[in-house]
Amino acid sequence: MINAGTKLCGVIGDPVKHTLSPVMHNRAIAELGIDYAYLAFNVKTTNLGASIEGMRALGIRGLNVTIPHKVAVVQFLDELDPLARDIGAVNTIVNDEGKLKGYNTDAAGFLQSLDAAGFEPMGKKVVLLGAGGAARAMGFALAQAGSLITILNRKPTLPQAVILSNNLERTCGSKVTVMELNATNLKTVMAEAELLVNATSAGMEPAVDETAVPTDLLKPGITVFDVVYTPYETRLLKEAAARGCQVISGLEMLVSQAALALELWTGMQAPLGVMREAAISAVYPGTGGTSVKTPEIEKTEKTNVALVGFMGAGKTAVGKALARKMGKPFADLDALVEKKAGKSVARIFKEDGEPVFRKLEKASTTDIACKSGRVIACGGGVPLDPANITALKQSSVVVYLKTSNTEIIKRVSSGPVRPLLADGKDITTLIAARTPFYEQSADITIDTTRITIECVAEKIIERLGKYESFRF
Ligand code: NAP
């Protein structure tokens, strides 16, 4: 019940009449049982500064920022998260005792929705349509993730796309191509595309018959993401699905960015499933969210979860949190190796060398793979040996904890020197060499770069739901 201690959050924009944010956030607040409330405020551009001062004066805990204020609001804030600064747009403000900090959760929300669909953007050829606010965040996310991007924008606003590409090249160091959005260029780029991202408002209600891409350019093998979420299934998505493409609705990004914002305000794990259901129910009144296609259940006898990833990905910390949440015993492969050898990993490397360590690691992997019902944190080198993965896969769903290079370097350099890096090996080269092994071995991939350990564990549990043996 709302009382004198209730913390207020909300969204500012113009218009905000159709926003799904209050529905999603208030359902999440009820689910978490916390003393918060969320409202929508229609704020005209001329009142933007006054509304932010009002936030400070009234002690409003958090605001989401939507069209048309995401860029202009920056000037009224005290601090910017580095990602929001690079993107140049804010969609979430956190008020810490009068100090206002701006974040951008659109970029991470977009990447999470790709990740949830099992799409890995690194090295993929991406066609990005549009150069507006949404394209900015999504372009940044893709460039940071290592995609090869071509931006297509309508002729009169082509300079906007050139500015965006220059920003991406400057901040992320990636090469970005810009073209006019027309039939000839679309045909050329779609022939090579692996991911098509519609970041324009084409197809948004009420113009539901519009699409920026002719049907005949959509072919199986392409993943199609549409930022538009009203309607839930846009014409582009319907046509893409009919042509055999994998499709992802903008609603997934909307829900993910909202969940990340709620986590920033409350410090709590957002109930993603409840928020998605609330959003879908609002788009399709009366469905209670049942119009979401439930993922197909995969029959399996596997009962272990094996976590793989580079050092610093959080395998041990996430493994412990996951084991606690799932009520399963936790096993750390490095600890098993140490037990077998009677000395620390560092000492094995120093006194016996890496080949002896790998041999012990292989034996420990075989041992643990014979057990059931465990959460296993694997050493970073385990997936390099195909025999290890074959053994693990017999009893385990393999989860790859993916982390950006920058974040890995930050995490690894703040801890003790890792045995593998003790002789001055270059970490970036090592990451590049190992990443394909992690990707190939993974049944599930979770990006851990910007989310808490608890949140990673929750996401793994959510994704395990598609396996029969992990359904509760
Ligand atoms: P914006 O800044 O106004 O940009 C709109 C972009 O769409 C511009 O590049 C515009 O090109 C282009 N465009 C509009 N109609 C077009 C058409 N018929 N054909 C080709 N290009 C067209 O808006 P925004 O903030 O980027 O939002 C775009 C859409 O994304 C909206 O539908 C919004 O609701 C949605 N959105 C979704 C999420 C989510 O979480 N799913 C988040 C943010 C935004 P011109 O400059 O040439 O007009």
Side-chain angles (χ1 to χ4, degrees), residues 24 65-68 70 91 105-106 109-110 113 129-138 152-158 160-161 181 198-205 207 210-213 225-230 249-258:
M24 284 191 290
V65 183
T66 188
I67 299 175
K70 286 184 185 183
N91 78 330
T105 65
D106 279 337
F110 168 55
S113 60
L129 306 180
R136 216 155 143 162
M138 295 158 90
L152 277 78
N153 206 32
R154 294 194 288 197
K155 193 170 182 184
T157 47
L158 203 56
Q160 215 171 309
L181 178 55
N198 175 43
T200 79
S201 32
M204 186 173 83
E205 281 176 351
E210 262 186 14
T211 176
V213 184
F225 178 97
D226 198 341
V227 75
V228 174
Y229 54 85
T230 50
S249 164
L251 196 105
E252 296 302 324
M253 168 175 161
L254 183 82
V255 173
S256 293
Q257 64 76 29

Side-chain angles (χ1 to χ4, degrees), residues 294-298 326 461-472:
T294 44
E296 283 193 11
I297 306 301
E298 205 169 296
M326 296 180 80
I461 292 171
E462 195 180 319
R463 299 278 297 279
L464 285 171
K466 81 169 202 177
Y467 297 97
E468 195 178 56
S469 54
F470 287 97
R471 293 179 78 82
F472 305 107

Side-chain angles (χ1 to χ4, degrees), residues 263-280:
E263 284 165 13
L264 285 170
W265 298 324
T266 64
M268 295 175 79
Q269 161 81 43
L272 204 66
V274 166
M275 295 176 85
R276 181 184 297 113
E277 209 174 281
I280 301 234

